[in-house]
Amino acid sequence: MSAVPQQNEVPRIPLLIGGKLVQSQTTEWRDVVNPATQEVVAQVPFCTREELDLAVSNAKEAFRTWRNTSQGARMRIMLNLQKLVRDNTAALAKAITLEHGKTLPDAEGEVGRGLEVIEHACSIASLQLGEYAENAGSGIDVYTLVQPLGVCAGITAFNFPVMLPSFMFPIAISAGNTFVLKPSEQDPSSTLMLAQLALEAGLPPGVLNVVHGGPDIANGLCEHPDIKAVSFIGSTRVGTEIYRRSSEHGKRCQAMMGAKNHCVILPDADRDVALNQLVGAAFGAAGQRCMAASVAVFVGESRDWIPDFIERSKQLKVNVGTDREADLGPLVSPGALKRVEGLIQQGVDEGAELLLDGRGLTVSGYENGNFVGPTVFSGVKADMVIYQEEIFGPVLCIVSADTLDDAIEFINANPNGNGVAIFTQDGGNARYFQNRIDVGQVGINIPIPVPVAWFSFTGSRGSKLGDLGPNGKQAVHFWTQTKTVTARWSAHAQGVNTTISMK
C-alpha cells in the first residue's frame, strides 16, 4: 500500500458511481504493476466505506425505475453492449495484458467468452418468462412472476478481469436488478472499461457501479443491508469467507472457488490430440485459470507417452504478453512468483520427480518479469502439498493409474469438483466416465470443459458454495425471485368456504 500519489505521477483509477467517474477521497492506494516489467502503470484506490455506501445508495435509487423498465429496452441495451465490446476487443485485451500479463491472443479469447454471456443476456425476455395455468381451480388462475431481487453485488478475482464480471452483471441487470461490482485490485482497468461501455450502451445512471478495494470493501458488500445477492469467483479461502458473511447477513450467495482439475489420458486416445490439448490446458495463461488442467492421470500404456509430453512442453515460448508468438506470459505478481516457486521446491522436497523445471527463467529485455516456465512433476501422491494445493502457475502433476476405475477412484477422492476431462476414442469409456465421475463439469476430448454461456457453470463439491452457479438457467434463477399469484375474478358473490380446497 502506498500513500496518495502526487498529481501527474501515474493515472489514478476512478470509481464509477451514479453513472459518473469519481475520484476516490481515500488516503490508501495500491500500485497496479505490469507483471512483465514491474512498472507501475496505475494506482487503484481502496475506497472509503462512505463511498461504498454511496454506490449502494445510487444503485438502490436506480432500482426504483430500472426494475420497471421494459424487457425490450433492457435487451436493446445488451445488444448495444455486445456491439461495443466486439468493437473494443483490442483495447480491452491490451488493458488485460498490461496489468495481468496474459498473452494478447489469450486476452482476446477472454473477451470473447465474456461476450458470449452478454449475447445470451440479449434474450432476457424469453429467459425471464413466468408460467400460467388457467382454471387451476374452478374460476381460479395461477401464474408466476419472475422478478428482480434489488441491489446485487459481484466480487471478482484477477485472472479474468473481463470474463468474470461478464459472468455476473449482464444477466443480473438485464433481469431488472442494479449492481455494484468490485473487481480485483491487481488488474482493474479492463473491468472499469467494460463498465463504461455498458454506460455507453445506454444503462441509466446508478444501474451499474464500480468500487475498488480489498477485503474491507468485499466484506462491506457482504454485510450491507441494502444488497440482496452476492456473486464471488476466486480462491477457496476468500470464497468461504464471502459465503459465510453473506449468509450471516441474510443474502443469497454463490461462491465459485478453487479447484484441482484432472485430465485422464487413456491408451486408446488420439496421442497427438491428447498431448497437445493437455499442454495448452496445463500451461496456458501461465496456469492462472481456475479451470486449468493441473493434474494429468496417465492410464495404462499411455504412461509411455510422458517423455513425448515433456518434449512438447519444452517447445512452448515464454515471453511478454504483447508478443503474439508467445504461448504464456508472466505470473501476475512477484508474490505469485514466490509462491509458485516455493511450491515447486516443496514438491521436490516431498519426493516427487521433477521432470521439467521452469524456475529461474529470464526473458531477455524483461529481466524483472514474473516468469516461470512449464514445470512437470511425476510420481505425485495424493498426500503431497503440490497435489493438495491449487498452485495457480504453469505446474502439472502427473499421476499414474492402472485402469480407468483406478483413475475415477483417485479423482473422486479429491475434495474439489470444478472440472475434469478424459481423452479417449471409445464412446463406452467416455460414457462410463461421465456417469461415475463426481465432478460438476466434464470434458470429453475437451481439456477445459467450461460450457457456452447459455449453459450454466456447474462446478461442484469443494469448488462451489451455494446452489446456483453463473450463466445459463441457474444464473437467471440466482438473480431473480419467483412470485406466485393465485387469482379469481367472478361476477357473482361467493359463499363462505372454510376449507383449503380450490374446487
Side-chain angles (χ1 to χ4, degrees):
M1 199 78 67
S2 64
V4 179
Q6 299 298 313
Q7 290 287 345
N8 302 321
E9 284 187 351
V10 293
R12 291 187 291 183
I13 297 174
L15 312 172
L16 178 60
I17 299 177
K20 297 179 180 179
L21 296 177
V22 178
Q23 283 294 343
S24 174
Q25 298 305 303
T26 185
T27 59
E28 296 182 285
W29 296 76
R30 175 173 177 152
D31 291 339
V32 180
V33 177
N34 181 336
T37 64
Q38 306 310 316
E39 174 193 4
V40 177
V41 295
Q43 288 194 320
V44 62
F46 276 36
C47 76
T48 67
R49 182 56 187 259
E50 290 75 19
E51 289 166 338
L52 172 61
D53 290 341
L54 181 61
V56 176
S57 175
N58 273 267
K60 183 178 181 180
E61 180 62 27
F63 179 67
R64 294 161 58 91
T65 53
W66 179 246
R67 64 170 300 174
N68 292 318
T69 301
S70 73
Q71 289 179 327
R74 286 184 252 140
M75 285 194 300
R76 283 189 288 275
I77 291 172
M78 289 296 107
L79 285 166
N80 292 340
L81 178 58
Q82 65 88 21
K83 183 180 187 306
L84 287 168
V85 170
R86 191 180 303 279
D87 292 345
N88 288 274
T89 294
L92 287 163
K94 181 179 179 181
I96 294 170
T97 296
L98 179 66
E99 296 180 353
H100 175 279
K102 67 176 64 175
T103 65
L104 278 172
D106 193 24
E108 290 162 357
E110 174 187 341
V111 176
R113 293 309 301 264
L115 187 59
E116 283 184 4
V117 192
I118 297 168
E119 291 169 341
H120 185 49
C122 295
S123 302
I124 194 62
S126 58
L127 299 175
Q128 206 172 351
L129 289 175
E131 300 172 310
Y132 194 102
E134 185 180 29
N135 287 320
S138 180
I140 297 175
D141 302 330
V142 179
Y143 53 95
T144 58
L145 309 175
V146 182
Q147 297 184 326
L149 300 172
V151 182
C152 300
I155 302 166
T156 61
F158 74 88
N159 55 330
F160 289 98
V162 167
M163 188 182 76
L164 297 186
S166 298
F167 276 18
M168 298 177 183
F169 78 79
I171 293 293
I173 62 178
S174 62
N177 299 287
T178 56
F179 210 86
V180 180
L181 176 64
K182 193 205 87 65
S184 170
E185 63 276 17
Q186 296 189 78
D187 50 2
S189 294
S190 58
T191 308
L192 183 62
M193 187 184 303
L194 178 66
Q196 289 177 272
L197 292 177
L199 291 184
E200 187 178 341
L203 277 186
V207 172
L208 177 61
N209 306 270
V210 179
V211 295
H212 304 291
D216 288 346
I217 296 303
N219 293 339
L221 290 169
C222 298
E223 298 166 359
H224 201 289
D226 290 330
I227 289 178
K228 305 301 182 184
V230 176
S231 178
F232 169 82
I233 303 177
S235 71
T236 296
R237 179 184 61 81
V238 177
T240 301
E241 179 65 11
I242 293 292
Y243 189 84
R244 181 188 69 80
R245 286 181 181 269
S246 297
S247 300
E248 286 181 353
H249 287 82
K251 303 182 193 318
R252 189 177 293 187
C253 185
Q254 59 179 201
M256 311 309 296
M257 307 186 299
K260 202 70 178 178
N261 306 309
H262 299 71
C263 183
V264 177
I265 311 293
L266 294 187
D268 62 26
D270 183 302
R271 178 172 177 154
D272 285 335
V273 170
L275 296 185
N276 287 339
Q277 292 289 309
L278 177 59
V279 169
F283 306 127
Q288 297 173 117
R289 296 169 174 159
C290 66
M291 291 295 293
S294 55
V295 183
V297 184
F298 284 85
V299 178
E301 294 176 358
S302 72
R303 286 174 285 201
D304 296 337
W305 303 352
I306 294 175
D308 187 3
F309 173 77
I310 297 299
E311 290 306 310
R312 295 175 192 232
S313 301
K314 289 179 179 178
Q315 303 308 309
L316 295 183
K317 181 179 180 181
V318 182
N319 202 353
V320 62
T322 51
D323 175 7
R324 286 192 168 274
E325 300 301 317
D327 296 297
L328 59 154
L331 296 174
V332 71
S333 69
L337 175 64
K338 180 179 179 181
R339 179 179 181 276
V340 169
E341 290 190 334
L343 284 167
I344 293 171
Q345 184 58 49
Q346 192 157 0
V348 173
D349 296 342
E350 289 179 317
E353 184 180 359
L354 187 57
L355 301 181
L356 185 61
D357 189 353
R359 292 174 295 178
L361 179 66
T362 301
V363 174
S364 178
Y366 299 94
E367 287 77 11
N368 293 324
N370 311 314
F371 294 101
V372 176
T375 299
V376 182
F377 281 103
S378 68
V380 175
K381 307 299 182 184
D383 60 351
M384 292 182 176
V385 172
I386 56 170
Y387 178 74
Q388 295 174 347
E389 291 276 335
E390 185 177 24
I391 299 175
F392 231 60
V395 181
L396 180 72
C397 297
I398 291 180
V399 174
S400 295
D402 292 330
T403 67
L404 178 57
D405 281 319
D406 291 339
I408 292 171
E409 181 180 1
F410 182 82
I411 295 167
N412 284 347
N414 190 283
N416 296 294
N418 224 18
V420 69
I422 185 170
F423 280 84
T424 178
Q425 296 187 85
D426 186 319
N429 282 336
R431 192 177 189 283
Y432 182 86
F433 181 80
Q434 74 179 30
N435 179 259
R436 286 164 175 76
I437 202 71
D438 186 16
V439 176
Q441 298 177 115
V442 180
I444 298 174
N445 300 317
I446 299 288
I448 301 180
V450 178
V452 291
W454 44 100
F455 281 78
S456 299
F457 189 98
T458 53
S460 62
R461 296 196 286 146
S463 298
K464 175 183 180 181
L465 289 172
D467 296 329
L468 301 171
N471 296 348
K473 292 180 181 179
Q474 290 190 17
V476 177
H477 292 319
F478 180 77
W479 298 117
T480 61
Q481 57 189 345
T482 301
K483 182 182 293 182
T484 305
V485 180
T486 304
R488 170 158 50 199
W489 297 95
S490 176
H492 305 287
Q494 302 292 319
V496 174
N497 183 359
T498 60
T499 74
I500 62 171
S501 172
M502 291 182 63
K503 295 181 179 179

